[in-house]
Amino acid sequence: MSTQFDHVSVIKKSNIYFDGKCVSHNLIFPDGTKKTIGVIFPSTLTFSTEAPELMEIVGGKCRVRLQGEEKWNEYEGGQKFKVAGNARFDIETVETLDYVCHFG
Amino acid sequence: MSTQFDHVSVIKKSNIYFDGKCVSHNLIFPDGTKKTIGVIFPSTLTFSTEAPELMEIVGGKCRVRLQGEEKWNEYEGGQKFKVAGNARFDIETVETLDYVCHFG
């Protein structure tokens, strides 16, 4: 995976969730699509999706349980996982995560 | 001040300082110059500069004391302050800050 995105617009104001456990910035690409780039600090959180998401883990380590599943899967820097639209997933961040969320 | 930067490169991996009280991402502009975009959570921190910095406060509220000064000045969204190179400044973040740091 590349270490950077080029030719993008960056929204200056961040998105802060879960009392600061998750911080992200919105990126807009030349084709109009959006991604978010952010950090999740050690925690166990439940996220809800609207569009389907592809979560790219840039660094750190987490365990993820998708809605309706019992099994937790581990992911770390260089890996990715998919989440369906209108779904929830539990994520236990073991080591602070750098991530990129791709939508659609 | 604009609400976004266009035509930039964004480094995916974040910079985390002060045990997560400050999180930033590096932006590289078409002319090769760098800025950082980030968040500072409520705290009182001391930062050190290398190059001179212009701190653009996008949102939130802080009090700042520059090196060698006794007075604290207040800044909030829409304001900015300058810091000399090779200097220190104390920053008390009263409400979580969104900021952009311009160098040089």
Side-chain angles (χ1 to χ4, degrees), chain B residues 31-97:
Chain B
D31 64 0
T33 58
K34 195 187 93 169
K35 301 184 196 297
T36 59
I37 182 171
V39 169
I40 304 175
F41 292 103
S43 55
T44 301
L45 303 173
T46 301
F47 284 85
S48 298
T49 65
E50 293 181 11
E53 296 182 1
L54 174 69
M55 283 284 286
E56 172 188 341
I57 306 301
V58 175
K61 192 178 291 186
C62 64
R63 300 170 67 238
V64 174
R65 183 174 60 184
L66 298 174
Q67 186 173 1
E69 298 194 1
E70 292 198 1
K71 185 166 175 250
W72 290 80
N73 289 304
E74 292 193 8
Y75 299 96
E76 56 183 30
Q79 297 186 307
K80 50 184 76 173
F81 62 90
K82 285 185 179 179
V83 186
N86 298 308
R88 291 196 294 183
F89 64 100
D90 301 314
I91 181 166
E92 179 192 352
T93 296
V94 181
E95 293 174 15
T96 298
L97 289 183

Side-chain angles (χ1 to χ4, degrees), chain A residues 2-81:
Chain A
S2 64
T3 59
Q4 68 184 58
F5 291 119
D6 298 316
H7 308 300
V8 299
S9 294
V10 182
I11 307 301
K12 291 182 183 177
K13 195 164 171 40
S14 67
N15 315 300
I16 298 179
Y17 303 103
F18 300 109
D19 201 28
K21 288 297 183 189
C22 177
V23 183
S24 75
H25 282 87
N26 294 346
L27 306 181
I28 303 169
F29 286 71
D31 65 359
T33 58
K34 195 186 94 170
K35 301 184 196 298
T36 59
I37 183 171
V39 169
I40 304 176
F41 293 103
S43 55
T44 301
L45 304 172
T46 301
F47 284 85
S48 298
T49 65
E50 294 181 9
E53 296 181 2
L54 173 68
M55 283 285 285
E56 173 188 340
I57 306 302
V58 176
K61 193 177 293 187
C62 64
R63 299 170 68 237
V64 174
R65 183 174 60 184
L66 298 175
Q67 186 172 359
E69 298 194 1
E70 292 199 0
K71 185 167 175 247
W72 291 78
N73 289 303
E74 292 191 9
Y75 300 97
E76 57 184 28
Q79 298 186 306
K80 50 184 74 173
F81 62 91

